[in-house]
Each structure stands twice: as structure tokens, then as C-alpha cells.
Amino acid sequence: METIEISTQQKVAEQERMAEVLVTGEQLRLRLHEEKIIKDRRHHLKTYPNCFVAKELIDWLIDHKEASDRETAVKLVQKLLDHSIIHHVCDEHKEFKDAKLFYRFRKDDGTFPMVNEVKVFMRGQRLYEKLMNSESKVLQLREEEGVKYERTFIAFDFIQWLIQEGEVMSRSEAEQLGRRLLEHGIIQHVSNKHHFVDSNLLFQFRMNFRRRRRLMELLSERSPLVPESYDSPFCLRKQSHDSKTTSFLSVSPTKEVKIISAVRRSSMSSSGSSGYFSTSPTLSSSPPVLCNPKSVLKKSVTADELLTPGAPYMRKTLTIVGDAVGWGFVVRGSKPCYIQAVDPSGPAAAAGMKVCQFVVCVNGLNVLHVDYKTVSNLILTGPRTIVMEVMEELDF
């Protein structure tokens, strides 16, 4: 089986974040047009078509509960400016200001930068909408190995549809298009084990382009994603056929078997948990995660004890590529955090993760002196591929 390289996964995660900003910005643009916030305006005898007043937009965002205060609203719109979705009409202000200044969506004046990544994204979005509006059943809910996936298609059928719709001229051209869509984070193999090929393999659109985004999702990487009463939501493997909750067996060092319930990592969709990875992940509406209530550690260990020269601990680096269900582990504790449980059939176990290992670094950031909520947030807001440094006790 072909596994996507780590560098590609990281690139896909970045492009996926960009895609979320593009979709959110476009949805906002359409809403502002509908409510006449965007319109032709005059200043000093000159007409500026299709623009909005910054101060009016901030008022509108607060009135429509898209932001809690003006400072937050400015940060949200700055995200759009940073991604070249909007700009000052005369390009005189590089920062968004809560003032009587004119700004415009670049899509309304034809200045939107059509780089290759954006072209692929826009084509992927158009194909998604075309499939959703089509009477064909190429795109639909399907089940594989007991897990249900939304927005899926069989590669062979998708290629056939592309040819019938005149999107491509040949199957080889369609396959190349599919590979570009996958490499840019638009589609993925449902278990992330294969690149796109003309076959009976099952793929899915990673995003629901029609889901209405809230602008606050643009700042999600700065906000806590794990409620304080919840444990770490990384035990994401299945033993039941319930699409919202799942469980697996975890064996502690004392060989005591415990059942751990978990929720999937999903997109912020009001329609419920989908099990997909997204730029703005959150917990689903499933019950709270109830991990092993009792620590698996035989004794508490401080960060200083771990780092003491000659201490009986060995450092390891683990590269974990999350699949369509998640990473498959639970982290708990504080200063340092430790691995509370590992799904024996999950990606974490395959990478060499074990219970009782202490978490040292996540994607290059030292986390020895933080709690599991911070580690959870760091992982949830990062790429699907995580690189973790852990320390485990030596066996003598």
C-alpha cells in the first residue's frame, strides 16, 4: 500500500487551512452582498464599486453574533486580509482598521491571486457542487470496514463521471486530476493509505463546502478546543458500528483490561460528527470522553526527574499519521503529560507508542511543562501527521 509522505501531509494540512479561509471568506462575501453592506460608494467625487466600510462591517459582525467584540472582529477580518481575500481599495493599508475606510473583496474586482493552489481548490469546489447537484449517485454516504463516511466516491466511478461531464478527455487525465485534488487536500483516501488511482478504492471530499462557516473558526487555533471536564480526545478507533461513539480495549501495565469510550475528531458541522479532519476541528456532540479514571502510572514523575542525567528513561521519536478515524491514543496528566491508553490497532500503536510513555515534544515544541489540555489543543490544531518525542522507562 502506498502511504503519503510526511512532507506531503504537512503541505496538505496547510492547504486545507487555506481552503477553509477561502470558503469562509466567500460565504461572507455573498452574505454582505445580499445585505447591501457591499455596494458602490463615493468619496471625494470618485466612485468605488463593490466595497464596504470597515467600521460598518465590524458593526455588522457584532450584530450578527459573528464576533463578541470589536477587537475580535478586527482580528477575524485581518485573517481575510492576510490571505489576500480582501484589500484596501487603494492598497494604502496593510492592516485592517476599525475606521471609515473602504475595503473590497478581491473577487469583486478581479485581483484575486490565481496561484496554482487556488486554481486547484476552486476546481475541486466546483466539481463538488456539480456532483451534489447531479442526479448521479457518484457522491454518497458509504461504509467501509464498519465505519461510515460521508461525501465518498469510488475512484473508477468518479473518473467515468468526469469523462461523461466533459471535465477531462481521457482516464489518464482524470487520474492526474484526482491526484492533484488529493495532493492539495481536497480529497483523500478514506483511510489515508493510497494515492488516487483509477481503481475501486474509496475516496472522499475532505470538506463539506456547503457547510455554513462561522468566522470565529478562523481563530480556532487560538481558542481552547477541549472542554476542561473532558479528557484527551485521541482514542479514535472503532469496535462498534456507531458512527458517533466508539470504544477499544486498553491494557495497562498491570494487565487490567479497561474499556475506553471516545469521540471522533470532526469538522464544526451542525449536522453532527462526520469523522473528517479539518482546519477547525472540535469535539462532536457525542458524550464526554470517559478515559481510564485511574492513572496507569505506577508512580508520579516530574519533568526534572525525566531530564536528570543517568535517569532510567529512554527518548524516542514517533511519527504518527492519523487515519480517517484519528490517531488512536489518550494523553493525560500535567508537567509532564503521559500516554494513558493506546488503541492496539491504531496509528499510534503502529508508530511504537505505549502506555506510560511521557510526552516531551509535539511537532518540535517542548511540552514537558504543560498539561494535557494544552497538548490536546496543540495536536488538534496541527497537521494530521504529528511528530512526538516521548520518554519511556528502561527495563532492567
Side-chain angles (χ1 to χ4, degrees):
M1 293 184 296
E2 181 179 356
T3 302
I4 309 303
E5 295 180 0
I6 295 173
S7 59
T8 302
Q9 286 288 343
Q10 294 172 335
K11 182 179 180 182
V12 165
E14 294 173 359
Q15 291 166 339
E16 193 174 39
R17 285 191 286 271
M18 179 195 73
E20 283 290 341
V21 176
L22 292 175
V23 173
T24 303
E26 177 62 9
Q27 290 181 351
L28 176 63
R29 184 183 75 87
L30 296 175
R31 290 175 68 190
L32 295 179
H33 271 289
E34 290 174 0
E35 302 203 18
K36 308 300 181 184
I37 302 298
I38 294 178
K39 58 185 178 182
D40 296 350
R41 300 176 186 270
R42 288 183 64 81
H43 182 66
H44 289 170
L45 303 180
K46 182 177 180 179
T47 299
Y48 295 88
N50 293 323
C51 63
F52 59 88
V53 179
K55 186 176 179 63
E56 291 181 8
L57 175 59
I58 299 301
D59 292 337
W60 185 89
L61 291 174
I62 293 175
D63 290 343
H64 287 74
K65 302 187 185 305
E66 290 286 355
S68 57
D69 53 67
R70 304 190 77 81
E71 182 181 358
T72 301
V74 170
K75 290 180 180 178
L76 289 169
V77 185
Q78 182 65 43
K79 282 279 188 178
L80 301 179
L81 194 148
D82 292 341
H83 286 78
S84 295
I85 293 174
I86 65 170
H87 68 121
H88 180 255
V89 291
C90 298
D91 291 321
E92 294 177 352
H93 299 278
K94 300 303 180 184
E95 294 184 356
F96 186 80
K97 298 181 178 181
D98 184 3
K100 292 183 178 179
L101 296 173
F102 290 173
Y103 290 83
R104 183 187 292 125
F105 280 81
R106 289 189 178 276
K107 197 167 183 179
D108 285 332
D109 62 12
T111 62
F112 191 77
M114 293 298 289
V115 296
N116 184 55
E117 288 81 1
V118 174
K119 290 180 180 179
V120 175
F121 164 78
M122 294 184 70
R123 187 169 189 186
Q125 183 179 27
R126 183 175 62 80
L127 290 174
Y128 176 83
E129 291 292 342
K130 196 171 181 179
L131 280 165
M132 291 293 290
N133 294 327
S134 172
E135 294 183 357
S136 70
K137 295 184 179 180
V138 174
L139 197 65
Q140 59 180 287
L141 175 71
R142 291 181 174 87
E143 183 174 326
E144 183 169 282
E145 296 183 355
V147 179
K148 292 181 180 179
Y149 300 97
E150 295 181 346
R151 305 187 296 274
T152 68
F153 57 88
I154 298 171
F156 180 89
D157 295 339
F158 181 58
I159 287 176
Q160 192 68 27
W161 178 84
L162 288 172
I163 296 173
Q164 292 174 352
E165 293 295 319
E167 294 287 343
V168 295
M169 298 300 294
S170 64
R171 301 192 73 87
S172 61
E173 183 183 348
E175 186 175 72
Q176 292 175 4
L177 173 59
R179 295 179 75 87
R180 286 200 302 274
L181 293 176
L182 187 145
E183 290 165 0
H184 285 78
I186 308 300
I187 65 173
Q188 68 174 10
H189 179 251
V190 290
S191 58
N192 201 39
K193 294 179 179 178
H194 300 277
H195 212 315
F196 186 85
V197 290
D198 187 354
S199 64
N200 288 324
L201 292 173
L202 189 62
F203 293 83
Q204 65 185 168
F205 277 87
R206 296 172 63 138
M207 297 175 61
N208 178 0
F209 290 96
R210 292 185 171 185
R211 177 179 68 82
R212 181 167 174 173
R213 272 77 174 168
R214 296 192 62 83
L215 264 79
M216 284 301 296
E217 294 179 40
L218 297 180
L219 300 180
S220 61
E221 70 271 21
R222 298 184 182 181
S223 59
L225 297 174
V226 183
E228 293 184 1
S229 60
Y230 289 179
D231 270 307
S232 172
F234 303 126
C235 298
L236 309 181
R237 306 295 299 180
K238 60 178 174 56
Q239 277 194 345
S240 69
H241 294 281
D242 187 327
S243 63
K244 292 183 178 179
T245 60
T246 183
S247 63
F248 63 79
L249 296 178
S250 172
V251 183
S252 75
T254 60
K255 303 301 181 183
E256 178 184 358
V257 177
K258 303 170 183 177
I259 296 291
I260 301 175
S261 299
V263 293
R264 296 178 184 274
R265 181 187 188 200
S266 68
S267 62
M268 284 184 169
S269 173
S270 58
S271 61
S273 174
S274 63
Y276 300 122
F277 299 86
S278 77
T279 312
S280 306
T282 183
L283 296 181
S284 74
S285 57
S286 305
V289 182
L290 299 175
C291 297
N292 299 345
K294 184 178 179 181
S295 171
V296 295
L297 296 179
K298 297 178 181 178
K299 63 177 181 177
S300 61
V301 178
T302 66
D304 290 338
E305 288 176 324
L306 285 177
L307 300 177
T308 300
Y313 297 96
M314 176 174 60
R315 186 180 296 232
K316 291 184 176 181
T317 300
L318 310 177
T319 300
I320 308 170
V321 181
D323 62 13
V325 190
W327 295 280
F329 69 95
V330 168
V331 59
R332 289 189 67 190
S334 176
K335 303 179 183 181
C337 301
Y338 58 90
I339 304 303
Q340 172 75 1
V342 180
D343 174 5
S345 64
M353 181 172 282
K354 303 174 184 177
V355 295
C356 296
Q357 288 175 332
F358 295 94
V359 184
V360 179
C361 292
V362 175
N363 294 330
L365 296 177
N366 189 300
V367 295
L368 272 175
H369 300 284
V370 301
D371 63 10
Y372 76 87
K373 298 182 184 70
T374 303
V375 174
S376 299
N377 190 42
L378 181 63
I379 294 174
L380 278 171
T381 57
R384 183 184 319 215
T385 297
I386 55 176
V387 179
M388 297 181 62
E389 287 188 24
V390 298
M391 295 185 77
E392 67 180 44
E393 189 170 9
L394 294 171
D395 293 324
F396 294 96

